[in-house]
Amino acid sequence: MDLGSCYLGGNADAVEFCPHRPFRHVLAAATYTLQEQGGERQDRAGSVSLFAVDAGEEDAPRRLRLLHTVETAGVFDMKWSPVAPLLAQADAHGRLALWRLEQEDGSDKGAVLRDVCSGDISSSMCLFVDWNQTAEALSVGLSDGSLSVVSMREDRLEVSEQWTAHQYEVWTCYFDRANPHLLYSGSDDCSFSCWDLRQNPSNAVFQNKKSHNMGVCCIAQNPLEGNMLLTGSYDEFLRVWDIRSMVKPVNVKSLNLGGGVWRIKYHPLIADVVLAACMHNGFAIVKVGTGDAAVVETYCKHESLAYGADWQISEGAEQNKNFSVVATCSFYDRLLRVWQPENLGNL
């Protein structure tokens, strides 16, 4: 069921619901737009907009309400801190920026982003960002094939490690949720890799270059079964990995989703259900538990590259999984949509 939609001011590429009370109704949506400035000059501009999403509102237009927008460099990715309402933004100018979400004028529904700090990570573009579980460090994937680990200080960001991890763009990086010294990465060089941050990070725990036929775009870990990892690739496959043999993880199953798998997000309450952004083939909800992986629902109301996707963590969903709310966005048509899946009650 569709709850609301709107067009953003630039090419839409990322959406993230805030997981923290009292801001669980807040959705951040980011844009990246390449602007010609005459001659060969180009600028990569972007924005982060906050929306209030309230699936309980009877008035449909109020279910998606713009709260605040900040103009930035082009945003490739953003993530909320796991411990506080802090938003990390990876941008096209090689910078990592942190924003604090605050209530506006004491209102329960109003919200604004306040600048906390930012730091230059590289002369290359920052393509992806992930927090470790204590929010003491962030990992950043870079367009020159490098990975960065950035430490959080009281008032600044500090690059603690940076190394050449891949031949081409690092589209994704992911801290192991149970073992924060392990960092996974995926790249345009078709490699799915793991790094032990306690050692020289240039020495990989493993590098799988055979399973993916094209670039590795996304990685996610099962929140209840830490030995299960998912990867998504331009080659259109969602792959399920058993990483108990860390030196040589086993690809236990795979599923062709009909489009490049750009993002995957586990349902916050249903451990074996994921939301996938499938680029040229819309969005899919996939069951990846015991047995074969299978698509249980598709959403094809976007008319451009399916990029951003996230689940809302809400009290309604905690009481009834059929009340789950999803936000999705597509790139060239600049469209943001909020909707409710129809088939979760059958799982």
Side-chain angles (χ1 to χ4, degrees), residues 49-108:
S49 297
L50 299 180
F51 292 87
V53 175
D54 191 343
E57 291 279 356
E58 293 183 6
D59 183 12
R62 289 187 59 80
R63 290 173 176 168
L64 183 62
R65 180 166 47 90
L66 179 64
L67 300 174
H68 181 61
T69 298
V70 291
E71 301 298 325
T72 69
V75 181
F76 281 106
D77 190 42
M78 58 184 177
K79 292 292 188 317
W80 293 103
S81 161
V83 302
L86 285 175
L87 185 66
Q89 165 200 313
D91 72 35
H93 290 179
R95 294 176 67 80
L96 187 64
L98 293 188
W99 304 90
R100 178 176 288 108
L101 183 59
E102 297 180 354
Q103 291 179 335
E104 185 179 30
D105 301 327
S107 168
D108 288 339

Side-chain angles (χ1 to χ4, degrees), residues 190 208-214 235 237 239 241 249 251:
C190 308
N208 182 299
K209 297 183 178 181
K210 296 180 179 179
S211 296
H212 300 86
N213 298 322
M214 299 179 73
D235 65 13
F237 277 90
R239 291 176 172 83
W241 299 84
N251 183 195

Side-chain angles (χ1 to χ4, degrees), residues 315-334:
E315 283 69 19
E318 289 173 344
Q319 297 170 13
N320 180 1
K321 63 184 180 183
N322 239 1
F323 199 74
S324 296
V325 173
V326 167
T328 51
C329 70
S330 42
F331 194 69
Y332 293 113
D333 59 2
R334 305 183 172 190

